[in-house]
Amino acid sequence: MAIVTLTTDWGTDGAYAGAVKGRLFSLCPDVTLIEISHSIKPYDIGHAAFVLRNCYKLYPPGTIHVVGIGGNVDISNSQAQYILIEKDGYYFMGMNDGVWGVIFDLIPTEIYNLRTSKNGDMFTNAFPELEIYSSTIHKIINGKKPSEIGVKMPSMNMKYPTIPAAGDAYINGEIIFIDSYGNAITNISRYDFDSVHKGRDYNILISTVRNSISHINQSYNESSNGSLLAIFSYSGLLEIAIANGNARELLNLSVNSPIRIVFDDKKPVTIVGQRT
């Protein structure tokens, strides 16, 4: 049974998602449809990229992931394209707007332009997702290969995630996403931290030296209610939170707020479980 996921900025109280679902079920009655989110911030491809990047590999191989962000494509613009990507055993559909560079670690090579069909017909519908995505999904489910559906492209538009800057005794990063609980996820990975840590004491400074953390939790419940904490989320990225509170509101955080980790060369510490 085919699985299709939807990650969009269409909202939950409009007709867009309902129309696409109706069309898709009419074409593919046995499809399993998963709505990852219709609450992506309008036009915010960074938000969509973070959500899909951190969940797409948890679905079974062969899953078709659809990203619907930012409204219609202007078909008079040759650079505005709907594309189909085959990568890591999955299929992806969306606009050629750079979002894929943030989703994938490695640039895909199997990229197909869906703006023009194989027989040369141009899609001009006022709601192209309704026609293009559903039609493409139907073809994939019925065994057609991407090369039989679209026209292969040599490359695509790419945006890249920001990466932290690191020195011998510091890491400078930033907040890249804030979830519905007000927890702030940074672009500092566990690998980044371990590469500089080397058993030393450290302080995590959130926007200002007044907001400082000197310990990274293994679980949220290590901290008492209202306490500021840091933890590596399941995605492997450092997260700043307040136990049973909202870090965004209480610390006035936003995407791009700075995060700095300073390591103390004078105070080596023993890592529990480390072999000597």
Side-chain angles (χ1 to χ4, degrees):
M1 183 178 294
I3 299 175
V4 175
T5 77
L6 297 176
T7 303
T8 82
D9 60 358
W10 297 340
T12 58
D13 58 351
Y16 299 118
V20 170
K21 287 189 288 185
R23 175 65 171 162
L24 186 56
F25 281 123
S26 295
L27 292 172
C28 314
D30 295 328
V31 72
T32 297
L33 186 60
I34 307 295
E35 297 171 83
I36 292 177
S37 177
H38 293 306
S39 299
I40 301 299
K41 296 175 185 176
Y43 310 104
D44 191 339
I45 63 174
H47 185 184
F50 180 88
V51 170
L52 191 57
R53 176 185 175 90
N54 288 292
C55 70
Y56 83 81
K57 290 184 180 179
L58 299 176
Y59 287 85
T63 296
I64 303 168
H65 294 289
V66 174
V67 176
I69 301 296
N72 298 329
V73 167
D74 177 5
I75 65 168
S76 65
N77 179 356
S78 62
Q79 297 302 311
Q81 301 153 329
Y82 284 92
I83 56 177
L84 167 64
I85 300 168
E86 185 175 11
K87 181 173 173 55
D88 299 332
Y90 301 93
Y91 299 99
F92 301 85
M93 271 176 275
M95 289 177 62
N96 185 16
D97 56 7
V99 65
W100 310 104
V102 185
I103 292 174
F104 303 128
D105 291 324
L106 299 176
I107 299 173
T109 58
E110 298 298 313
I111 312 160
Y112 299 87
N113 185 1
L114 299 175
R115 179 172 174 267
T116 305
S117 69
K118 291 293 284 187
N119 62 10
D121 293 334
M122 298 296 293
F123 294 112
T124 59
N125 194 287
F127 186 13
E129 293 92 335
L130 187 64
E131 179 180 355
I132 298 172
Y133 291 172
S134 297
S135 174
T136 301
I137 290 167
H138 179 249
K139 291 173 183 177
I140 292 173
I141 290 174
N142 282 277
K144 284 192 175 293
K145 299 178 180 179
S147 59
E148 299 175 293
I149 301 172
V151 178
K152 190 166 185 181
M153 301 167 57
S155 62
M156 63 181 177
N157 296 329
M158 299 288 286
K159 296 182 182 295
Y160 296 97
T162 58
I163 59 175
D168 291 337
Y170 71 88
I171 302 174
N172 290 336
E174 64 181 32
I175 293 170
I176 59 173
F177 181 75
I178 299 179
D179 67 19
S180 59
Y181 296 99
N183 301 329
I185 293 84
T186 77
N187 62 344
I188 301 172
S189 70
R190 186 186 296 272
Y191 174 83
D192 297 325
F193 178 83
D194 289 343
S195 296
V196 183
H197 180 207
K198 299 175 182 177
R200 296 175 291 181
D201 282 348
Y202 55 87
N203 279 301
I204 304 170
L205 309 177
I206 302 98
S207 293
T208 171
V209 294
R210 293 192 300 273
N211 302 321
S212 177
I213 305 171
S214 59
H215 169 75
I216 296 178
N217 286 18
Q218 296 298 312
S219 65
Y220 292 100
N221 59 17
E222 289 180 36
S223 299
S224 58
N225 287 348
S227 298
L228 182 61
L229 66 91
I231 190 170
F232 282 107
S233 68
Y234 79 94
S235 65
L237 297 175
L238 185 67
E239 177 180 323
I240 306 302
I242 290 179
N244 293 316
N246 190 309
R248 172 180 52 195
E249 294 179 355
L250 293 176
L251 302 179
N252 193 29
L253 300 178
S254 61
V255 171
N256 301 130
S257 290
I259 302 294
R260 180 174 173 86
I261 307 178
V262 180
F263 299 87
D264 189 347
D265 286 312
K266 299 178 182 179
K267 296 181 179 180
V269 297
T270 300
I271 303 174
V272 176
Q274 181 179 18
R275 295 181 180 180
T276 57

Short mmCIF file of all heavy atoms in Angstrom, two decimals, residues 20-78:
data_model
loop_
_atom_site.label_atom_id
_atom_site.label_comp_id
_atom_site.label_asym_id
_atom_site.label_seq_id
_atom_site.Cartn_x
_atom_site.Cartn_y
_atom_site.Cartn_z
N VAL A 20 -7.11 18.54 -2.51
CA VAL A 20 -6.04 17.63 -2.91
C VAL A 20 -6.32 16.22 -2.41
O VAL A 20 -6.11 15.23 -3.14
CB VAL A 20 -4.68 18.14 -2.41
CG1 VAL A 20 -3.59 17.09 -2.61
CG2 VAL A 20 -4.30 19.42 -3.14
N LYS A 21 -6.78 16.11 -1.18
CA LYS A 21 -7.09 14.77 -0.64
C LYS A 21 -8.21 14.11 -1.43
O LYS A 21 -8.14 12.91 -1.74
CB LYS A 21 -7.46 14.88 0.85
CG LYS A 21 -6.29 15.18 1.75
CD LYS A 21 -6.64 15.07 3.22
CE LYS A 21 -7.52 16.21 3.66
NZ LYS A 21 -7.78 16.17 5.12
N GLY A 22 -9.24 14.88 -1.76
CA GLY A 22 -10.33 14.31 -2.54
C GLY A 22 -9.87 13.83 -3.90
O GLY A 22 -10.24 12.73 -4.35
N ARG A 23 -9.06 14.65 -4.57
CA ARG A 23 -8.54 14.27 -5.88
C ARG A 23 -7.66 13.03 -5.78
O ARG A 23 -7.75 12.11 -6.60
CB ARG A 23 -7.73 15.45 -6.45
CG ARG A 23 -7.02 15.16 -7.75
CD ARG A 23 -7.98 14.89 -8.87
NE ARG A 23 -7.29 14.84 -10.15
CZ ARG A 23 -7.81 14.28 -11.24
NH1 ARG A 23 -9.02 13.74 -11.20
NH2 ARG A 23 -7.13 14.27 -12.36
N LEU A 24 -6.82 12.99 -4.75
CA LEU A 24 -5.89 11.87 -4.60
C LEU A 24 -6.63 10.57 -4.31
O LEU A 24 -6.33 9.52 -4.90
CB LEU A 24 -4.90 12.19 -3.48
CG LEU A 24 -3.76 11.18 -3.28
CD1 LEU A 24 -2.97 10.99 -4.55
CD2 LEU A 24 -2.85 11.65 -2.15
N PHE A 25 -7.63 10.62 -3.43
CA PHE A 25 -8.37 9.40 -3.12
C PHE A 25 -9.22 8.94 -4.31
O PHE A 25 -9.48 7.74 -4.46
CB PHE A 25 -9.26 9.61 -1.89
CG PHE A 25 -8.52 9.52 -0.59
CD1 PHE A 25 -8.55 10.57 0.31
CD2 PHE A 25 -7.79 8.39 -0.26
CE1 PHE A 25 -7.87 10.51 1.51
CE2 PHE A 25 -7.10 8.31 0.94
CZ PHE A 25 -7.14 9.37 1.84
N SER A 26 -9.64 9.88 -5.15
CA SER A 26 -10.38 9.49 -6.36
C SER A 26 -9.47 8.73 -7.33
O SER A 26 -9.89 7.76 -7.97
CB SER A 26 -10.96 10.73 -7.05
OG SER A 26 -11.93 11.34 -6.24
N LEU A 27 -8.22 9.18 -7.44
CA LEU A 27 -7.27 8.53 -8.34
C LEU A 27 -6.69 7.26 -7.73
O LEU A 27 -6.45 6.27 -8.44
CB LEU A 27 -6.13 9.49 -8.69
CG LEU A 27 -6.47 10.70 -9.55
CD1 LEU A 27 -5.27 11.64 -9.63
CD2 LEU A 27 -6.89 10.26 -10.95
N CYS A 28 -6.45 7.27 -6.42
CA CYS A 28 -5.76 6.16 -5.74
C CYS A 28 -6.53 5.81 -4.47
O CYS A 28 -6.13 6.21 -3.36
CB CYS A 28 -4.33 6.56 -5.40
SG CYS A 28 -3.42 7.37 -6.72
N PRO A 29 -7.61 5.06 -4.58
CA PRO A 29 -8.47 4.80 -3.42
C PRO A 29 -7.77 4.08 -2.27
O PRO A 29 -8.19 4.22 -1.12
CB PRO A 29 -9.58 3.92 -4.01
CG PRO A 29 -9.57 4.21 -5.48
CD PRO A 29 -8.15 4.49 -5.82
N ASP A 30 -6.72 3.32 -2.56
CA ASP A 30 -6.06 2.54 -1.52
C ASP A 30 -4.85 3.24 -0.90
O ASP A 30 -4.13 2.64 -0.09
CB ASP A 30 -5.60 1.18 -2.10
CG ASP A 30 -6.78 0.31 -2.52
OD1 ASP A 30 -7.85 0.41 -1.87
OD2 ASP A 30 -6.64 -0.45 -3.49
N VAL A 31 -4.62 4.47 -1.26
CA VAL A 31 -3.45 5.17 -0.74
C VAL A 31 -3.60 5.46 0.75
O VAL A 31 -4.72 5.66 1.25
CB VAL A 31 -3.22 6.49 -1.52
CG1 VAL A 31 -4.28 7.52 -1.16
CG2 VAL A 31 -1.82 7.05 -1.26
N THR A 32 -2.50 5.41 1.47
CA THR A 32 -2.47 5.84 2.87
C THR A 32 -1.91 7.25 2.91
O THR A 32 -0.77 7.49 2.52
CB THR A 32 -1.59 4.91 3.72
OG1 THR A 32 -2.15 3.60 3.72
CG2 THR A 32 -1.51 5.42 5.16
N LEU A 33 -2.72 8.19 3.37
CA LEU A 33 -2.35 9.60 3.34
C LEU A 33 -2.02 10.08 4.76
O LEU A 33 -2.84 9.95 5.67
CB LEU A 33 -3.49 10.43 2.77
CG LEU A 33 -3.22 11.92 2.53
CD1 LEU A 33 -2.08 12.12 1.56
CD2 LEU A 33 -4.49 12.59 2.00
N ILE A 34 -0.81 10.60 4.93
CA ILE A 34 -0.36 11.12 6.22
C ILE A 34 -0.18 12.62 6.10
O ILE A 34 0.60 13.10 5.27
CB ILE A 34 0.98 10.48 6.65
CG1 ILE A 34 0.89 8.94 6.62
CG2 ILE A 34 1.39 10.98 8.03
CD1 ILE A 34 -0.08 8.35 7.61
N GLU A 35 -0.89 13.38 6.91
CA GLU A 35 -0.75 14.83 6.90
C GLU A 35 0.25 15.23 7.99
O GLU A 35 -0.10 15.37 9.14
CB GLU A 35 -2.12 15.47 7.11
CG GLU A 35 -3.08 15.13 5.98
CD GLU A 35 -4.49 15.57 6.26
OE1 GLU A 35 -4.78 16.75 6.02
OE2 GLU A 35 -5.31 14.75 6.72
N ILE A 36 1.50 15.39 7.58
CA ILE A 36 2.53 15.75 8.55
C ILE A 36 2.21 17.10 9.16
O ILE A 36 2.21 17.27 10.38
CB ILE A 36 3.92 15.76 7.88
CG1 ILE A 36 4.32 14.34 7.48
CG2 ILE A 36 4.97 16.36 8.82
CD1 ILE A 36 5.64 14.25 6.74
N SER A 37 1.90 18.08 8.33
CA SER A 37 1.48 19.38 8.84
C SER A 37 0.90 20.22 7.71
O SER A 37 1.42 20.23 6.59
CB SER A 37 2.67 20.14 9.46
OG SER A 37 2.27 21.43 9.90
N HIS A 38 -0.19 20.93 8.01
CA HIS A 38 -0.71 21.98 7.14
C HIS A 38 -0.53 23.34 7.81
O HIS A 38 -1.13 24.32 7.36
CB HIS A 38 -2.18 21.74 6.82
CG HIS A 38 -2.43 20.51 6.00
ND1 HIS A 38 -1.81 20.28 4.79
CD2 HIS A 38 -3.24 19.43 6.22
CE1 HIS A 38 -2.23 19.13 4.29
NE2 HIS A 38 -3.08 18.60 5.15
N SER A 39 0.27 23.37 8.87
CA SER A 39 0.43 24.60 9.65
C SER A 39 1.83 25.20 9.50
O SER A 39 2.28 25.96 10.37
CB SER A 39 0.14 24.32 11.13
OG SER A 39 -1.19 23.87 11.30
N ILE A 40 2.52 24.86 8.42
CA ILE A 40 3.78 25.53 8.14
C ILE A 40 3.49 27.02 7.95
O ILE A 40 2.48 27.40 7.34
CB ILE A 40 4.43 24.95 6.87
CG1 ILE A 40 4.69 23.44 7.04
CG2 ILE A 40 5.73 25.69 6.53
CD1 ILE A 40 5.61 23.08 8.15
N LYS A 41 4.36 27.88 8.45
CA LYS A 41 4.15 29.31 8.28
C LYS A 41 4.13 29.65 6.79
O LYS A 41 4.95 29.14 6.03
CB LYS A 41 5.27 30.08 8.97
CG LYS A 41 5.29 29.89 10.49
CD LYS A 41 6.49 30.58 11.11
CE LYS A 41 6.56 30.29 12.61
NZ LYS A 41 7.78 30.87 13.22
N PRO A 42 3.19 30.48 6.35
CA PRO A 42 3.08 30.79 4.92
C PRO A 42 4.40 31.21 4.29
O PRO A 42 5.10 32.07 4.82
CB PRO A 42 2.05 31.93 4.88
CG PRO A 42 1.20 31.68 6.09
CD PRO A 42 2.14 31.15 7.14
N TYR A 43 4.74 30.56 3.20
CA TYR A 43 5.93 30.84 2.40
C TYR A 43 7.24 30.51 3.10
O TYR A 43 8.32 30.81 2.57
CB TYR A 43 5.97 32.31 1.94
CG TYR A 43 4.70 32.78 1.30
CD1 TYR A 43 3.82 33.61 2.00
CD2 TYR A 43 4.37 32.39 0.01
CE1 TYR A 43 2.64 34.04 1.41
CE2 TYR A 43 3.18 32.82 -0.58
CZ TYR A 43 2.33 33.64 0.12
OH TYR A 43 1.15 34.06 -0.44
N ASP A 44 7.19 29.90 4.28
CA ASP A 44 8.40 29.67 5.07
C ASP A 44 9.01 28.30 4.73
O ASP A 44 8.71 27.29 5.36
CB ASP A 44 8.07 29.74 6.56
CG ASP A 44 9.30 29.78 7.45
OD1 ASP A 44 10.38 29.37 6.98
OD2 ASP A 44 9.19 30.23 8.61
N ILE A 45 9.89 28.28 3.73
CA ILE A 45 10.47 27.00 3.32
C ILE A 45 11.45 26.47 4.36
O ILE A 45 11.68 25.26 4.44
CB ILE A 45 11.15 27.10 1.94
CG1 ILE A 45 12.33 28.07 1.96
CG2 ILE A 45 10.14 27.48 0.86
CD1 ILE A 45 13.11 28.07 0.66
N GLY A 46 12.01 27.35 5.20
CA GLY A 46 12.89 26.89 6.26
C GLY A 46 12.13 26.07 7.29
O GLY A 46 12.62 25.02 7.76
N HIS A 47 10.93 26.51 7.63
CA HIS A 47 10.07 25.78 8.55
C HIS A 47 9.72 24.41 7.97
O HIS A 47 9.84 23.37 8.63
CB HIS A 47 8.80 26.60 8.81
CG HIS A 47 7.88 26.02 9.83
ND1 HIS A 47 6.65 26.58 10.12
CD2 HIS A 47 7.97 24.91 10.61
CE1 HIS A 47 6.05 25.87 11.05
NE2 HIS A 47 6.83 24.84 11.35
N ALA A 48 9.31 24.39 6.70
CA ALA A 48 8.96 23.13 6.04
C ALA A 48 10.15 22.19 5.97
O ALA A 48 10.03 20.98 6.20
CB ALA A 48 8.42 23.41 4.64
N ALA A 49 11.32 22.75 5.66
CA ALA A 49 12.53 21.93 5.54
C ALA A 49 12.88 21.28 6.87
O ALA A 49 13.23 20.08 6.91
CB ALA A 49 13.69 22.78 5.04
N PHE A 50 12.79 22.03 7.96
CA PHE A 50 13.13 21.47 9.27
C PHE A 50 12.19 20.31 9.61
O PHE A 50 12.64 19.25 10.06
CB PHE A 50 13.04 22.54 10.36
CG PHE A 50 13.38 22.01 11.72
CD1 PHE A 50 14.69 22.01 12.16
CD2 PHE A 50 12.40 21.51 12.56
CE1 PHE A 50 15.02 21.50 13.42
CE2 PHE A 50 12.71 21.01 13.81
CZ PHE A 50 14.03 21.00 14.24
N VAL A 51 10.91 20.51 9.38
CA VAL A 51 9.93 19.47 9.72
C VAL A 51 10.17 18.21 8.91
O VAL A 51 10.26 17.10 9.46
CB VAL A 51 8.49 20.00 9.49
CG1 VAL A 51 7.48 18.87 9.58
CG2 VAL A 51 8.17 21.10 10.50
N LEU A 52 10.30 18.34 7.59
CA LEU A 52 10.44 17.15 6.76
C LEU A 52 11.81 16.49 6.94
O LEU A 52 11.91 15.26 6.96
CB LEU A 52 10.22 17.51 5.29
CG LEU A 52 10.06 16.31 4.34
CD1 LEU A 52 8.92 15.42 4.77
CD2 LEU A 52 9.84 16.79 2.91
N ARG A 53 12.85 17.28 7.07
CA ARG A 53 14.20 16.72 7.25
C ARG A 53 14.25 15.78 8.44
O ARG A 53 14.94 14.75 8.41
CB ARG A 53 15.20 17.86 7.43
CG ARG A 53 16.63 17.40 7.73
CD ARG A 53 17.55 18.57 8.02
NE ARG A 53 18.87 18.13 8.42
CZ ARG A 53 19.88 17.90 7.58
NH1 ARG A 53 19.71 18.07 6.28
NH2 ARG A 53 21.05 17.50 8.03
N ASN A 54 13.54 16.14 9.50
CA ASN A 54 13.63 15.38 10.74
C ASN A 54 12.61 14.25 10.88
O ASN A 54 12.51 13.65 11.94
CB ASN A 54 13.54 16.33 11.93
CG ASN A 54 14.80 17.17 12.09
OD1 ASN A 54 15.85 16.65 12.42
ND2 ASN A 54 14.69 18.46 11.82
N CYS A 55 11.88 13.98 9.80
CA CYS A 55 10.93 12.86 9.91
C CYS A 55 10.86 11.97 8.67
O CYS A 55 10.39 10.84 8.77
CB CYS A 55 9.54 13.36 10.28
SG CYS A 55 8.69 14.26 8.98
N TYR A 56 11.33 12.42 7.51
CA TYR A 56 11.05 11.65 6.30
C TYR A 56 11.68 10.26 6.31
O TYR A 56 11.11 9.29 5.79
CB TYR A 56 11.45 12.42 5.04
CG TYR A 56 12.90 12.37 4.62
CD1 TYR A 56 13.41 11.29 3.91
CD2 TYR A 56 13.77 13.44 4.89
CE1 TYR A 56 14.74 11.26 3.50
CE2 TYR A 56 15.09 13.41 4.48
CZ TYR A 56 15.57 12.32 3.79
OH TYR A 56 16.88 12.29 3.38
N LYS A 57 12.85 10.11 6.93
CA LYS A 57 13.52 8.80 6.94
C LYS A 57 12.86 7.80 7.88
O LYS A 57 13.18 6.61 7.85
CB LYS A 57 14.99 8.97 7.30
CG LYS A 57 15.82 9.65 6.23
CD LYS A 57 17.29 9.71 6.62
CE LYS A 57 18.12 10.38 5.54
NZ LYS A 57 19.56 10.45 5.92
N LEU A 58 11.94 8.27 8.71
CA LEU A 58 11.24 7.36 9.62
C LEU A 58 10.08 6.65 8.93
O LEU A 58 9.49 5.73 9.50
CB LEU A 58 10.73 8.14 10.83
CG LEU A 58 11.83 8.81 11.68
CD1 LEU A 58 11.21 9.63 12.80
CD2 LEU A 58 12.79 7.78 12.25
N TYR A 59 9.75 7.06 7.72
CA TYR A 59 8.70 6.40 6.95
C TYR A 59 9.29 5.26 6.13
O TYR A 59 10.49 5.25 5.84
CB TYR A 59 8.01 7.41 6.03
CG TYR A 59 7.12 8.38 6.78
CD1 TYR A 59 7.65 9.53 7.35
CD2 TYR A 59 5.76 8.13 6.94
CE1 TYR A 59 6.85 10.41 8.06
CE2 TYR A 59 4.96 9.01 7.64
CZ TYR A 59 5.50 10.14 8.20
OH TYR A 59 4.70 11.00 8.91
N PRO A 60 8.46 4.29 5.74
CA PRO A 60 8.96 3.16 4.96
C PRO A 60 9.49 3.61 3.60
O PRO A 60 8.98 4.57 3.02
CB PRO A 60 7.72 2.26 4.79
CG PRO A 60 6.77 2.69 5.84
CD PRO A 60 7.02 4.15 6.07
N PRO A 61 10.53 2.94 3.10
CA PRO A 61 11.02 3.24 1.74
C PRO A 61 9.88 3.17 0.73
O PRO A 61 8.97 2.34 0.86
CB PRO A 61 12.07 2.15 1.49
CG PRO A 61 12.53 1.77 2.86
CD PRO A 61 11.32 1.87 3.74
N GLY A 62 9.93 4.04 -0.25
CA GLY A 62 8.87 4.11 -1.24
C GLY A 62 7.82 5.16 -0.94
O GLY A 62 6.98 5.47 -1.79
N THR A 63 7.87 5.72 0.28
CA THR A 63 6.93 6.78 0.64
C THR A 63 7.11 7.98 -0.28
O THR A 63 8.22 8.34 -0.66
CB THR A 63 7.13 7.21 2.10
OG1 THR A 63 6.83 6.10 2.96
CG2 THR A 63 6.22 8.38 2.47
N ILE A 64 6.01 8.63 -0.62
CA ILE A 64 6.01 9.82 -1.47
C ILE A 64 5.76 11.03 -0.57
O ILE A 64 4.70 11.16 0.03
CB ILE A 64 4.93 9.73 -2.55
CG1 ILE A 64 5.13 8.47 -3.40
CG2 ILE A 64 4.94 10.98 -3.43
CD1 ILE A 64 3.94 8.15 -4.31
N HIS A 65 6.75 11.92 -0.47
CA HIS A 65 6.65 13.10 0.38
C HIS A 65 6.36 14.33 -0.49
O HIS A 65 7.12 14.65 -1.41
CB HIS A 65 7.94 13.32 1.14
CG HIS A 65 8.26 12.25 2.15
ND1 HIS A 65 7.54 12.09 3.31
CD2 HIS A 65 9.21 11.27 2.15
CE1 HIS A 65 8.03 11.07 4.00
NE2 HIS A 65 9.05 10.56 3.32
N VAL A 66 5.28 15.02 -0.17
CA VAL A 66 4.86 16.20 -0.93
C VAL A 66 5.04 17.44 -0.06
O VAL A 66 4.58 17.49 1.08
CB VAL A 66 3.39 16.09 -1.38
CG1 VAL A 66 2.94 17.38 -2.05
CG2 VAL A 66 3.21 14.90 -2.32
N VAL A 67 5.71 18.45 -0.61
CA VAL A 67 5.86 19.75 0.06
C VAL A 67 5.08 20.78 -0.75
O VAL A 67 5.39 21.02 -1.92
CB VAL A 67 7.34 20.16 0.16
CG1 VAL A 67 7.45 21.55 0.78
CG2 VAL A 67 8.11 19.15 1.00
N GLY A 68 4.08 21.38 -0.14
CA GLY A 68 3.28 22.40 -0.81
C GLY A 68 3.41 23.73 -0.08
O GLY A 68 2.70 23.98 0.89
N ILE A 69 4.34 24.56 -0.52
CA ILE A 69 4.63 25.82 0.16
C ILE A 69 4.58 26.97 -0.83
O ILE A 69 5.14 26.89 -1.92
CB ILE A 69 6.04 25.79 0.81
CG1 ILE A 69 6.14 24.65 1.81
CG2 ILE A 69 6.35 27.13 1.48
CD1 ILE A 69 5.21 24.77 3.00
N GLY A 70 3.91 28.03 -0.48
CA GLY A 70 4.07 29.29 -1.18
C GLY A 70 3.15 29.55 -2.35
O GLY A 70 3.42 30.42 -3.15
N GLY A 71 2.05 28.80 -2.49
CA GLY A 71 1.09 29.12 -3.53
C GLY A 71 1.50 28.62 -4.89
O GLY A 71 2.29 27.70 -5.04
N ASN A 72 0.97 29.25 -5.92
CA ASN A 72 1.14 28.77 -7.29
C ASN A 72 2.48 29.18 -7.89
O ASN A 72 3.09 30.16 -7.49
CB ASN A 72 0.02 29.31 -8.18
CG ASN A 72 -1.33 28.83 -7.74
OD1 ASN A 72 -1.46 27.73 -7.21
ND2 ASN A 72 -2.36 29.64 -7.95
N VAL A 73 2.88 28.42 -8.89
CA VAL A 73 4.07 28.76 -9.66
C VAL A 73 3.66 29.60 -10.86
O VAL A 73 2.67 29.31 -11.52
CB VAL A 73 4.78 27.47 -10.15
CG1 VAL A 73 5.81 27.79 -11.20
CG2 VAL A 73 5.42 26.75 -8.98
N ASP A 74 4.41 30.66 -11.13
CA ASP A 74 4.19 31.47 -12.33
C ASP A 74 4.79 30.73 -13.51
O ASP A 74 6.01 30.69 -13.67
CB ASP A 74 4.85 32.83 -12.15
CG ASP A 74 4.73 33.71 -13.40
OD1 ASP A 74 4.05 33.29 -14.36
OD2 ASP A 74 5.33 34.79 -13.39
N ILE A 75 3.98 30.13 -14.34
CA ILE A 75 4.51 29.29 -15.41
C ILE A 75 5.20 30.09 -16.49
O ILE A 75 5.88 29.53 -17.36
CB ILE A 75 3.42 28.41 -16.04
CG1 ILE A 75 2.37 29.27 -16.75
CG2 ILE A 75 2.79 27.50 -15.02
CD1 ILE A 75 1.44 28.48 -17.63
N SER A 76 5.07 31.44 -16.48
CA SER A 76 5.79 32.26 -17.44
C SER A 76 7.26 32.41 -17.04
O SER A 76 8.08 32.85 -17.83
CB SER A 76 5.16 33.64 -17.54
OG SER A 76 5.29 34.35 -16.31
N ASN A 77 7.56 32.02 -15.81
CA ASN A 77 8.93 32.09 -15.31
C ASN A 77 9.59 30.74 -15.51
O ASN A 77 9.23 29.76 -14.86
CB ASN A 77 8.92 32.49 -13.83
CG ASN A 77 10.32 32.56 -13.24
OD1 ASN A 77 11.31 32.26 -13.90
ND2 ASN A 77 10.39 32.96 -11.98
N SER A 78 10.58 30.66 -16.37
CA SER A 78 11.21 29.38 -16.68
C SER A 78 11.94 28.78 -15.49
O SER A 78 12.24 27.59 -15.48
CB SER A 78 12.20 29.54 -17.85
OG SER A 78 13.24 30.43 -17.50
#
